[in-house]
């Protein structure tokens, strides 16, 4: 008698079926996409305002509370959405296992570090002098 | 092997190019390009936090020929991905699957993304002229 015969039917079924998270990626991709519609439009206006702003004026634009909040939201939504999108692209086109895992990890690390760096920069600008 | 006799599913090599597939591919391509473009967002914010010299360096790069070319590409990529993303969200809501409508919204996305890119750069150059 092997060990598996002693397992209950529940124990044998566990982990083999749906984890009930199949739509999670899809849904979060759409939520971040929806959030990015107004945020991207706002970011374009900010970028246009930055075109003719010097250093002090640029800092003043970004450090306004509403701008700092919107910019933080934009940055987080952007890197989150980018990570979800690139994950699917890599899943679809990279078929060499070690390359796929490397690319997936590199993407996730890049997006995480990018988001952290941007948020910290915004905090420094918002709380710093001038 | 009998497997060799089986029909292959159509793939890029034999598919006739059409708008809907072009836009689908471009949506992914612009998404990847925009992810690379976040490097500039990171650089700009870090420089703005770091000091005037660093900010001047990033601005100098943005104003250079290669910087302007990249910015132009990224601006169109951004507007295309934004417009086509809204098209995708409409599909997710179950609207616009009919073939004539898919083409209509597709051409609309192309036109609006080009228009917004043109408008944005007109604003950039108008400001530069004023300053």
């Amino acid at each position: 008698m092997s060990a598996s015969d002693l397992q209950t039917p529940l124990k044998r079924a566990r982990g083999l079926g749906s984890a009930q998270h199949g739509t999670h990626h899809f849904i979060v991709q759409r939520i971040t996409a929806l959030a990015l519609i107004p945020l991207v439009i706002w970011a374009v206006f900010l970028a246009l305002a930055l075109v003719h702003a010097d250093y002090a004026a640029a800092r003043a634009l970004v450090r306004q509370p509403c701008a700092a909040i919107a910019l933080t939201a934009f940055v987080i939504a952007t890197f989150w959405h980018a990570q979800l999108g690139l994950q699917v692209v890599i899943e679809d086109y990279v078929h060499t296992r070690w390359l796929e895992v490397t690319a997936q990890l590199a993407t996730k690390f890049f997006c995480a570090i990018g988001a952290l760096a941007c948020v910290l920069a915004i905090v420094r600008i918002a709380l710093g002098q001038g | 092997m009998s497997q060799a006799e089986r029909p292959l599913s159509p793939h890029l090599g034999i598919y006739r190019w059409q708008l809907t597939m072009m836009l689908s591919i471009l949506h992914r391509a612009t998404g990847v390009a925009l992810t690379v473009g976040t490097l500039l967002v990171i650089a700009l914010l870090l420089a703005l936090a770091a000091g005037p010299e660093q900010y001047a360096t990033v601005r100098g790069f943005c104003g250079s020929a290669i910087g302007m070319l990249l910015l132009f590409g990224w601006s169109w990529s951004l507007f295309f991905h934004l417009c086509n993303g809204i098209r995708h969200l409409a599909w997710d809501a179950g609207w616009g699957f009919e073939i004539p409508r898919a083409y209509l919204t597709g051409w609309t996305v192309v036109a609006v993304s080009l228009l917004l890119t043109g408008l944005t750069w007109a604003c950039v150059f108008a400001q530069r002229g004023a300053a």
Side-chain angles (χ1 to χ4, degrees):
Chain A
M1 188 186 268
S2 68
S4 64
D5 294 330
L6 296 173
Q7 291 175 342
T8 63
L10 179 65
K11 175 69 182 173
R12 255 174 277 147
R14 228 169 226 163
L16 295 176
S18 163
Q20 311 297 328
H21 294 299
T23 54
H24 183 254
H25 182 285
F26 179 93
I27 290 168
V28 178
Q29 196 168 36
R30 269 70 190 169
I31 293 172
T32 50
L34 268 178
L36 278 167
I37 296 173
L39 288 172
V40 161
I41 295 169
W42 173 82
V44 169
F45 280 103
L46 178 72
L48 283 174
L50 287 175
V51 168
H52 69 148
D54 61 8
Y55 179 71
R59 277 185 77 105
L61 272 173
V62 171
R63 67 183 308 169
Q64 290 170 314
C66 286
I69 291 168
L71 197 53
T72 308
F74 167 73
V75 160
I76 291 173
T78 294
F79 282 105
W80 199 349
H81 190 78
Q83 190 275 309
L84 291 169
L86 281 194
Q87 180 190 330
V88 179
V89 172
I90 294 165
E91 281 168 359
D92 283 358
Y93 302 131
V94 184
H95 301 306
T96 311
R97 186 65 181 152
W98 71 269
L99 260 180
E100 186 191 344
V101 173
T102 308
Q104 293 287 14
L105 285 175
T107 305
K108 284 173 206 301
F109 290 160
F110 170 76
C111 289
I113 293 287
L116 286 171
C118 287
V119 170
L120 274 173
I122 296 164
V123 170
R124 280 182 68 193
I125 296 161
L127 302 182
Q129 300 297 315
Chain B
M1 286 269 295
S2 59
Q3 212 163 4
E5 303 300 317
R6 287 181 189 166
L8 282 170
S9 65
H11 50 78
L12 282 182
I14 58 167
Y15 236 90
R16 183 170 59 83
W17 284 81
Q18 47 203 326
L19 179 75
T20 43
M21 78 188 284
M22 273 289 292
L23 298 186
S24 173
I25 293 164
L26 275 175
H27 196 69
R28 287 199 154 185
T30 51
V32 173
L34 287 168
T35 307
V36 178
T38 60
L39 282 171
L40 187 70
V41 177
I42 298 172
L44 194 79
L45 284 173
L46 285 181
L48 192 59
E53 297 84 23
Q54 290 90 335
Y55 190 63
T57 307
V58 176
R59 269 185 68 110
F61 173 74
C62 291
S64 69
I66 180 92
M68 296 276 275
L69 193 69
L70 284 170
L71 278 171
F72 185 81
W74 279 325
S75 62
W76 176 75
S77 296
L78 183 71
F79 287 126
F80 176 82
H81 202 86
L82 174 69
C83 294
N84 203 46
I86 293 169
R87 183 165 168 252
H88 268 279
L89 287 172
W91 283 334
D92 293 336
W95 185 88
F97 283 115
E98 305 83 356
I99 295 197
R101 199 164 268 178
Y103 273 88
L104 181 70
T105 54
W107 283 116
T108 308
V109 161
V110 172
V112 173
S113 68
L114 289 173
L115 186 76
L116 289 175
T117 309
L119 265 176
T120 303
W121 284 91
C123 285
V124 170
F125 288 117
Q127 282 184 2
R128 177 175 278 185

